């Protein structure tokens, strides 16, 4: 597929291999890997070529190809052949007598980063589009073609390991500071600078000492993630300085440029290590964890970002200026992501001083990010300049969309809605940022409910990728489409849900927390509850999460539900316990230093010793396995209920919303993939067992799951016809 690449010989006899371009991402599969390898070989052997620039812009792995290949019984052979071919091409780059220089103009994530690391020098554009990282671990995959080996040899194992197990994409400034790239260049000058570097020749690579691979600088490895185990094994191979035949398992083309070790220290060879790393990639990619994560976090996220569920008849909307009501933590965060996306923002609060405080908070955050190398100073200044703080609703007269993010109170939100609608244009959508209040109730304050919708952002807004779009009963298709266009404009991944109490994400998170509260009420030690939370593979245990959310807010939501539901409300023992902590003990969470944990001024914490005194009866005996399975099961069951009720209608969106929204155990692929992964019948039987042992309606399987189990089916294989969401 040579058309996916460009090859030309230009100034100073430097060949340029162009891989990807802005707006034209390149996703490597078996055929494209072969085409890339052919171009590398052509550049290495053509006598007219003095050096090579590999231009990288949005290059990564073709996940559709990977998913289709690993689904076939014989797919491992095709995948292994592709890995072998790519390894040979990268070894050819490393061992060529001609200098190879990477010019990184845009995202170089996963395979893009691996190609760049094989080059003798890396230049990167100094702008926000250019990022680099071995990001495939977030899809449950280790580096495909020796990226872990090359990064460890470049910057040392302890420094490399956080990048490898975290998979974070680093900015240009971070990449330079951490030694991943050699030089930053203005975007317009990148091409010429890379050619000059190749023409001047690349100095011999100076590998840093490879320190003990047993370092755990990135924290404990998740036992559920085979990719991280594969990375550790590969780093151990590097540390062992494998001394086998340097070309073992790496069928590099015959050439006179030296062996596989020529690019590195003479006493360290990497051929066998590359071969083993490739075998591990094939094994992990074909496993259930990687396949589930690729389906949800790769293909599912791509489908959501492409707005697959957008109403097709609605015209595409673009945005120039956004209004944000409320300059608190959420409102200022929303303003920032809009401004960072190049949009002008009118930030409205009750007073000019309050609005200015919101902007000042953003300025302080950006100053800290710039000092730490996480942000570009010029880009930050430009974004801040696009935010106009004010107390005048009249300033909203020419905005294209309004996001209301005021205090979570119906009356306060109603007043903000009325004042905003009096100022904005007739066709402007008004979106409310709320995590619990039903949209149909908030829309009652609107004079144009068809243009009213819920946009649930997650905190901290700049870092959280998910946007939960909640469609009210009166919300039009055009308003939904506009909201999805807005999500795309500010680089958020949208899921679409129907109106109901707690919508989708909040109700499932609350089930997770409520089950932990009930465990405490049953006399189970708080330390055991938290250990079970860690054992699920979720990023934060339930009691610590509840403290971070704030116990008084959780209690307030519970009281509001009791008032709204009346006779239908059922108080759980766990919520009763939380109510006593808040009302009589003043334990409101992390913000006051007193919740399930006691917090000290230095940021340390320990579980509150007084928790045990709140339970009068003898504790219930429970194994760690039971506690872990309870915490996972209640989330999966609540997700299944939301699907059954029509609150969310797409299993893929439910799974990606769970992982991106509240960190549901990524290794499962999401709560519905978790059910299918073990088989619906087995999952139902396990829930029945837990429900008999510990009680509680949360652990009771839904009618739909029982039908699917009886038929031997799967959640993903079931036709979930859209249904009207139930009113609260």
């Amino acid at each position: 597929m040579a058309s996916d690449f460009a090859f030309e010989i230009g100034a100073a006899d430097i060949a340029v291999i162009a891989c990807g371009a802005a707006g034209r991402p390149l996703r490597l599969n078996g055929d494209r890997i072969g085409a890339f390898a052919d171009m590398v070989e052509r550049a290495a052997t053509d006598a007219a070529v003095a050096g090579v620039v590999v231009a990288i812009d949005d290059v990564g792995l073709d996940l559709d190809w990977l998913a289709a290949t690993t689904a076939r019984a014989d797919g491992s052979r095709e995948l292994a052949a592709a890995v072998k071919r790519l390894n040979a091409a990268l070894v050819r780059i490393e061992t060529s007598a001609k200098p190879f220089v990477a010019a990184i103009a845009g995202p170089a994530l996963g395979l893009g980063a691996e190609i760049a690391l094989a080059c003798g020098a890396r230049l990167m554009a100094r702008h926000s589009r250019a990022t680099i990282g071995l990001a495939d671990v977030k899809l449950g995959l280790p580096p495909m073609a020796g990226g872990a080996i090359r990064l460890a040899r470049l910057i040392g194992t302890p420094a490399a390991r956080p990048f490898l197990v975290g998979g974070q994409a680093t900015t240009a400034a971070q990449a330079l500071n951490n030694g991943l790239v050699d030089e930053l260049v203005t975007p317009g000058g990148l091409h010429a600078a890379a050619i000059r570097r190749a023409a001047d020749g690349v100095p011999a690579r100076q590998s840093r000492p490879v320190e003990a691979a047993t370092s755990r600088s990135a924290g404990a490895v998740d036992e559920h993630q085979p990719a991280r185990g594969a990375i550790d094994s590969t780093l151990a191979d590097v540390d062992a300085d494998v001394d086998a035949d340097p070309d073992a398992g790496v069928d590099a083309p015959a050439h006179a440029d030296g062996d596989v070790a020529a690019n590195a220290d003479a006493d360290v060879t990497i051929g066998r290590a590359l071969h083993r790393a490739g075998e591990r990639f094939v094994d992990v990619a074909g496993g259930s964890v990687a396949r589930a994560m690729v389906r949800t976090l790769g293909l599912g996220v791509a489908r959501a970002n492409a707005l697959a569920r957008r109403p097709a008849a609605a015209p595409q909307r673009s945005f120039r200026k956004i209004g944000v009501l409320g300059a608190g933590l959420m409102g200022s965060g929303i303003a920032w992501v809009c401004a960072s996306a190049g949009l002008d923002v009118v930030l409205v609060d009750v007073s000019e001083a309050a609005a200015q405080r919101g902007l000042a908070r953003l300025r302080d955050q950006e100053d800290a990010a710039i000092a730490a190398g996480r942000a570009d100073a010029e880009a930050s200044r430009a974004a801040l300049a696009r935010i106009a703080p004010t107390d005048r609703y009249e300033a909203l007269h020419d905005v294209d969309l309004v996001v209301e993010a005021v205090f979570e109170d119906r009356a306060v939100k109603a007043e903000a809605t009325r004042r905003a609608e009096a100022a904005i244009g007739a066709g402007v959508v008004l979106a409310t940022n709320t995590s619990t209040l039903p949209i149909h109730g908030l829309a009652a304050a609107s004079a144009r409910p068809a243009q009213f919708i819920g946009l649930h952002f997650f905190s901290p807004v700049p870092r959280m990728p998910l946007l939960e779009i909640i469609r009210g009963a009166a919300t039009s298709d055009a308003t939904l489409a506009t909201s999805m266009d807005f999500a795309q404009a500010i680089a958020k991944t949208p899921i679409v849900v129907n109106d109901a109490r707690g919508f989708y994400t909040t109700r499932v998170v609350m089930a997770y927390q409520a089950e932990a509260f009930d465990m405490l009420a049953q006399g189970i030690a708080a330390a055991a509850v938290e250990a079970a939370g860690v054992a699920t593979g979720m990023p934060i245990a339930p009691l610590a999460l509840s403290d971070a959310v704030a116990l008084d807010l959780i209690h307030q939501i519970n009281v509001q539900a009791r008032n709204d539901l009346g006779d239908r409300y059922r108080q759980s023992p766990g919520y009763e316990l939380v109510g006593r902590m808040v009302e009589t003990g003043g334990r409101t969470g992390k913000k006051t230093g007193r919740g399930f944990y006691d917090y000290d001024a230095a940021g340390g914490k320990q579980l509150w010793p007084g928790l045990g005194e709140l339970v009068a009866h003898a504790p219930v005996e429970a194994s760690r396995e039971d506690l872990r399975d309870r915490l996972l099961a209640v989330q999966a069951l609540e997700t299944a209920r939301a699907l059954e009720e029509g609150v969310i209608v797409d299993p893929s969106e439910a799974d990606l919303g769970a992982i991106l929204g509240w960190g549901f155990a990524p290794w499962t692929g999401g709560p519905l993939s978790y059910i299918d992964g073990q088989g619906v019948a087995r999952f139902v039987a396990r829930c029945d067992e837990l429900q008999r042992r510990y009680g509680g309606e949360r652990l009771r399987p839904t009618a739909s799951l029982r039908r699917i189990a009886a038929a031997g089916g799967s959640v993903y294989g079931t036709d979930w016809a859209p249904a009207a969401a139930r009113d609260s």
Side-chain angles (χ1 to χ4, degrees):
M1 292 186 178
S3 61
D4 293 307
F5 304 88
F7 184 102
E8 64 177 12
I9 302 175
D13 296 329
I14 301 301
V16 177
I17 302 174
C19 308
R24 197 183 67 200
L26 176 63
R27 299 294 176 256
L28 297 178
N29 54 28
D31 289 339
R32 293 188 182 107
I33 285 171
F36 174 72
D38 289 343
M39 287 195 173
V40 169
E41 185 63 16
R42 175 183 169 186
T45 57
D46 189 335
V49 173
V52 185
V53 170
V54 183
I56 300 170
D57 191 339
D58 205 352
V59 177
L61 180 61
D62 184 339
L63 298 180
D64 286 300
W65 167 75
L66 181 69
T69 302
T70 55
R72 296 198 308 270
D74 62 347
S76 62
R77 287 197 294 273
E78 178 183 343
L79 187 57
V83 171
K84 194 173 186 180
R85 187 78 191 274
L86 183 57
N87 258 328
L90 298 189
V91 167
R92 187 67 161 126
I93 289 173
E94 288 183 301
T95 59
S96 174
K98 300 174 182 180
F100 275 73
V101 175
I104 304 166
L109 305 176
L111 287 188
E114 296 204 60
I115 293 170
L117 287 169
C119 294
R122 285 158 299 285
L123 277 62
M124 194 169 186
R126 190 192 296 273
H127 63 75
S128 59
R129 278 196 68 251
T131 55
I132 185 170
L134 293 163
D136 287 346
V137 71
K138 292 187 174 181
L139 303 176
L141 300 168
M144 182 178 182
I149 297 168
R150 293 184 175 95
L151 186 62
R153 294 177 63 81
L154 181 66
I155 64 174
T157 299
R161 193 172 185 281
F163 292 104
L164 292 167
V165 301
Q168 65 267 40
T170 63
T171 65
Q174 289 173 305
L176 181 66
N177 289 344
N178 287 283
L180 277 66
V181 299
D182 302 291
E183 183 182 347
L184 302 186
V185 184
T186 58
L190 180 63
H191 182 81
I195 289 177
R196 284 196 301 272
R197 176 66 71 98
D200 291 343
V202 176
R205 181 174 299 183
Q206 299 297 316
S207 295
R208 298 189 185 185
V210 180
E211 302 174 45
T214 54
S215 166
R216 290 295 180 264
S217 55
V221 172
D222 184 343
E223 62 186 276
H224 300 294
Q225 294 271 15
R228 295 181 180 179
I231 289 169
D232 275 348
S233 296
T234 296
L235 292 178
D237 282 349
V238 176
D239 186 47
D241 290 352
V242 181
D243 58 2
D245 174 7
D247 289 318
V250 184
D251 291 342
H255 54 83
D257 296 327
D259 64 20
V260 173
N263 69 300
D265 299 336
D267 61 337
V268 181
T269 60
I270 65 169
R272 183 68 60 86
L274 285 170
H275 178 64
R276 289 174 176 171
E279 288 183 326
R280 293 183 188 111
F281 175 86
V282 173
D283 288 344
V284 171
S288 60
V289 170
R291 290 178 63 188
M293 293 179 71
V294 165
R295 178 173 70 175
T296 299
L297 295 174
L299 301 177
V301 168
R303 180 173 178 269
N305 286 339
L307 308 187
R309 292 191 55 219
R310 183 187 184 278
Q316 185 79 27
R317 289 291 304 272
S318 59
F319 305 90
R320 180 186 60 85
K321 182 183 287 188
I322 303 298
V324 178
L325 311 183
L329 187 64
M330 293 301 294
S332 61
I334 294 167
W336 175 252
V337 298
C338 293
S340 296
L343 307 178
D344 292 334
V345 180
V346 178
L347 181 61
V348 182
D349 212 313
V350 294
S351 68
E352 177 80 21
Q356 289 286 358
R357 282 196 297 272
L359 181 59
R361 183 186 306 112
L362 293 175
R363 189 175 292 110
D364 290 344
Q365 291 173 359
E366 283 306 292
D367 286 346
I370 292 167
R374 299 191 305 271
D376 178 74
E378 184 177 348
S380 291
R381 284 194 297 270
L384 288 167
R386 286 190 282 268
I387 302 174
T390 182
D391 60 351
R392 298 176 59 254
Y393 275 76
E394 293 81 2
L396 299 170
H397 69 95
D398 61 345
V399 300
D400 302 307
L401 181 142
V402 173
V403 181
E404 170 269 298
V406 301
F407 185 67
E408 193 83 341
D409 178 272
R410 285 188 178 91
V412 176
K413 287 180 176 290
E415 175 66 13
T417 296
R418 286 189 288 267
R419 294 187 67 183
E421 286 187 347
I424 60 180
V428 174
V429 166
L430 196 151
T432 177
N433 175 61
T434 178
S435 57
T436 59
L437 298 176
I439 301 305
H440 70 267
L442 297 177
S446 172
R448 35 188 166 177
Q451 293 164 223
F452 192 93
I453 198 166
L455 293 182
H456 178 201
F457 289 83
F458 294 76
S459 182
V461 179
R463 294 209 307 268
M464 297 295 283
L466 187 69
L467 181 61
E468 185 178 27
I469 301 177
I470 308 104
R471 184 171 192 166
T475 303
S476 69
D477 279 356
T479 295
L480 175 60
T482 295
S483 299
M484 297 182 77
D485 293 341
F486 175 60
Q488 191 174 67
I490 62 172
K492 294 296 183 186
T493 298
I495 61 172
V496 180
V497 307
N498 291 312
D499 195 13
R501 180 170 298 280
F503 318 127
Y504 165 55
T505 56
T506 300
R507 70 183 277 181
V508 184
V509 171
M510 290 174 66
Y512 172 52
Q513 294 170 318
E515 191 66 15
F517 302 161
D518 280 356
M519 290 176 179
L520 292 178
Q522 291 170 344
I524 295 169
V529 174
E530 295 293 79
V534 171
T536 66
M538 294 184 65
I540 184 167
L543 303 182
L545 173 64
S546 300
D547 271 0
V549 170
L551 300 187
D552 55 341
L553 175 60
I554 292 170
H555 179 54
Q556 175 191 340
I557 293 170
N558 185 49
V559 170
Q560 186 67 60
R562 182 176 63 201
N563 294 338
D564 290 348
L565 296 176
D567 292 341
R568 291 179 294 159
Y569 176 80
R570 297 291 181 270
Q571 173 83 300
S572 70
Y575 273 122
E576 191 276 331
L577 182 149
V578 171
R580 281 190 284 137
M581 288 178 62
V582 172
E583 292 184 355
T584 65
R587 303 194 69 86
T588 59
K590 186 176 182 179
K591 62 184 180 181
T592 58
R594 302 171 71 248
F596 289 116
Y597 287 82
D598 286 322
Y599 299 85
D600 60 37
K605 67 179 182 181
Q606 61 177 2
L607 283 162
W608 177 41
L611 272 174
E613 300 173 6
L614 297 180
V615 182
H617 56 77
V620 169
E621 293 297 324
S623 68
R624 181 179 176 183
E625 182 181 35
D626 279 1
L627 297 180
R628 178 202 64 201
D629 289 355
R630 283 175 67 178
L631 292 174
L632 288 170
V634 294
Q635 296 176 81
L637 287 168
E638 195 63 30
T639 300
R641 291 185 192 103
L643 187 64
E644 188 174 280
E645 295 168 12
V647 174
I648 191 161
V649 300
D650 184 338
S652 175
E653 286 194 357
D655 276 347
L656 75 88
I659 297 176
L660 298 186
W662 73 87
F664 184 84
W667 63 273
T668 65
L672 300 179
S673 290
Y674 173 68
I675 296 173
D676 278 352
Q678 57 193 293
V680 180
R682 181 180 174 189
F683 174 77
V684 166
R686 177 60 170 155
C687 290
D688 282 337
E689 176 188 8
L690 292 170
Q691 206 273 336
R692 287 192 299 269
R693 191 171 296 167
Y694 301 105
E697 287 301 305
R698 282 187 222 96
L699 289 166
R700 193 180 300 280
T702 70
S704 292
L705 287 179
R706 292 194 188 279
R707 287 195 297 270
I708 294 169
S714 66
V715 175
Y716 268 79
T718 298
D719 181 13
W720 297 94
R726 297 177 183 173
D727 287 339
S728 303

